[in-house]
Amino acid sequence: MNKTEIMNKATKAFYKVGFTLKKHSPEILVVAGVVGTVVSAVLACRATTKVSEIMTDTKIDVDAVHKCLETQSEEDYSKEDGKKDLVIIYAKTSFELAKLYAPSVLLGVASITSILASNNILRKRNVALTAAYATLDKCFKEYRGNVVERFGEQVDRELRYAIKAKKFEETVVDEKTGKEKTVKNKVDVVGIDGISDYAKFFDEYNPNWEKDSEYNLMFLRAQQNYANDLLVKRGYLFLNDVYKMLGFEPTRAGQVVGWRYEPEKSNCDGYVSFGIYNANRETARDFVNGYERSILLDFNVDGPILDTLDD
């Protein structure tokens, strides 16, 4: 391996490390800030043990000045001389105390600065993330508007939820003859491609799931009603709020998208739905009918709402 190849590999490794550090800089700054705060407190405690020694020396010097003022004549040691000596003593004491606590104070300030810097970086990233979601949401809504304008709402619905017609046969009894006959029917079903990126499985890995389909349905209905009550009361609701009440971990996207309660606007549903009663999904029908204990929940979020809230 020649020098050029070695330099190229070293350069790539350097940039890779730099990118990793930049990516995780908020976490690094927070950890450094917390550790620095703890160390700063320890240094302050250690410094406090030495304060008594400094104050004892100060008291001895001050007492000596007062004794000289009492025992010596005005010509040998005047009040002005005593005042000057006291100023020197107090200044020296202040300097010693400042020097004693300087490391802990400086480290504490640096630690707080690190935590604030981390918060600032995260805030800027959230602003950028919100802007990106808002742009994507706007483009998606414009696209859907064009589809509706050209092909109609039915086609838009089929494309959005990947709805396909599924044919099946069933045996029915003819009302006139009383004989059984086989008829062909079809039903619209939602394919897996129609599930949004915010969907979550409510199954045995969820802490609120039970081996009882009726209980699971009751729990989800209660949480959906509660979410709608919160939406009406607050006027907004983040997807992470719903994730938390259902037992799911919050996500970055969940802190940006959600619902707004604005009945006067047509671009908002004005209600929260978990997709439990989506008749176009076979799994949802089986869950409601008690044949399945688990279900894939999908949420009808209005889109990014973070930028619509007041500061």
Side-chain angles (χ1 to χ4, degrees):
M1 184 179 294
N2 55 38
K3 290 184 178 181
T4 304
E5 292 177 344
I6 294 175
M7 288 297 295
N8 289 337
K9 286 191 174 182
T11 302
K12 290 180 180 179
F14 174 78
Y15 281 114
K16 185 176 181 180
V17 171
F19 175 77
T20 303
L21 290 176
K22 183 177 181 180
K23 179 181 178 182
H24 298 286
S25 57
E27 293 86 351
I28 295 172
L29 288 171
V30 169
V31 172
V34 173
V35 173
T37 302
V38 174
V39 175
S40 174
V42 172
L43 291 177
C45 292
R46 291 181 59 184
T48 303
T49 60
K50 300 179 181 180
V51 170
S52 59
E53 182 180 344
I54 296 175
M55 299 306 295
T56 299
D57 294 340
T58 301
K59 186 176 185 303
I60 293 173
D61 293 338
V62 171
D63 290 342
V65 171
H66 288 301
K67 186 175 182 181
C68 290
L69 289 173
E70 294 174 358
T71 59
Q72 296 185 22
S73 63
E74 184 70 20
E75 294 179 356
D76 294 333
Y77 194 77
S78 65
K79 291 183 179 180
E80 291 297 327
D81 294 332
K83 289 181 180 179
K84 291 179 181 180
D85 288 342
L86 288 175
V87 170
I88 294 173
I89 292 171
Y90 290 140
K92 180 183 176 182
T93 302
S94 299
F95 176 75
E96 292 294 332
L97 290 174
K99 186 172 67 173
L100 191 63
Y101 282 101
S104 62
V105 172
L106 292 176
L107 184 58
V109 171
S111 301
I112 294 173
T113 303
S114 295
I115 295 174
L116 293 177
S118 171
N119 179 69
N120 188 45
I121 293 173
L122 290 175
R123 183 181 61 80
K124 290 181 178 179
R125 289 184 180 180
N126 285 334
V127 170
L129 182 64
T130 302
Y133 270 105
T135 301
L136 289 174
D137 184 64
K138 180 181 178 182
C139 294
F140 179 65
K141 287 180 179 178
E142 290 178 352
Y143 166 77
R144 287 189 60 201
N146 293 333
V147 172
V148 171
E149 182 179 354
R150 184 166 183 177
F151 300 105
E153 294 184 359
Q154 180 61 28
V155 173
D156 169 65
R157 177 171 169 272
E158 292 176 356
L159 291 175
R160 183 181 183 186
Y161 297 106
I163 296 176
K164 298 178 181 179
K166 182 179 180 180
K167 296 181 180 180
F168 65 95
E169 293 182 353
E170 62 177 342
T171 302
V172 297
V173 177
D174 192 308
E175 295 181 355
K176 295 182 179 180
T177 62
K179 297 180 179 180
E180 293 185 350
K181 64 178 182 178
T182 301
V183 295
K184 294 182 178 180
N185 288 321
K186 67 177 182 178
V187 62
D188 291 336
V189 297
V190 177
I192 193 64
D193 294 335
I195 305 302
S196 75
D197 293 334
Y198 313 120
K200 295 285 186 180
F201 279 105
F202 185 77
D203 53 19
E204 63 269 20
Y205 298 103
N206 188 289
N208 296 307
W209 184 89
E210 296 289 342
K211 294 182 179 180
D212 187 329
S213 57
E214 290 186 6
Y215 171 85
N216 292 333
L217 177 60
M218 179 183 67
F219 170 78
L220 292 176
R221 287 178 57 184
Q223 295 302 93
Q224 182 173 276
N225 292 336
Y226 177 55
N228 277 286
D229 291 340
L230 282 179
L231 176 62
V232 175
K233 182 179 179 180
R234 294 181 185 172
Y236 69 90
L237 188 67
F238 284 106
L239 181 59
N240 273 351
D241 296 328
V242 173
Y243 280 166
K244 291 176 183 177
M245 67 176 64
L246 291 176
F248 299 118
E249 289 295 323
T251 64
R252 290 185 178 181
Q255 198 57 36
V256 177
V257 301
W259 297 263
R260 291 299 302 267
Y261 185 68
E262 298 175 337
E264 68 280 1
K265 293 186 178 180
S266 59
N267 61 339
C268 298
D269 290 337
Y271 64 91
V272 178
S273 172
F274 296 172
I276 304 172
Y277 294 98
N278 189 340
N280 293 317
R281 288 171 51 199
E282 288 183 286
T283 54
R285 293 200 303 271
D286 290 342
F287 177 78
V288 172
N289 290 329
Y291 305 139
E292 293 288 344
R293 293 178 293 190
S294 304
I295 184 175
L296 178 62
L297 302 177
D298 204 0
F299 307 93
N300 66 327
V301 294
D302 294 327
I305 66 168
L306 187 60
D307 57 339
T308 64
L309 301 180
D310 296 332
D311 294 332

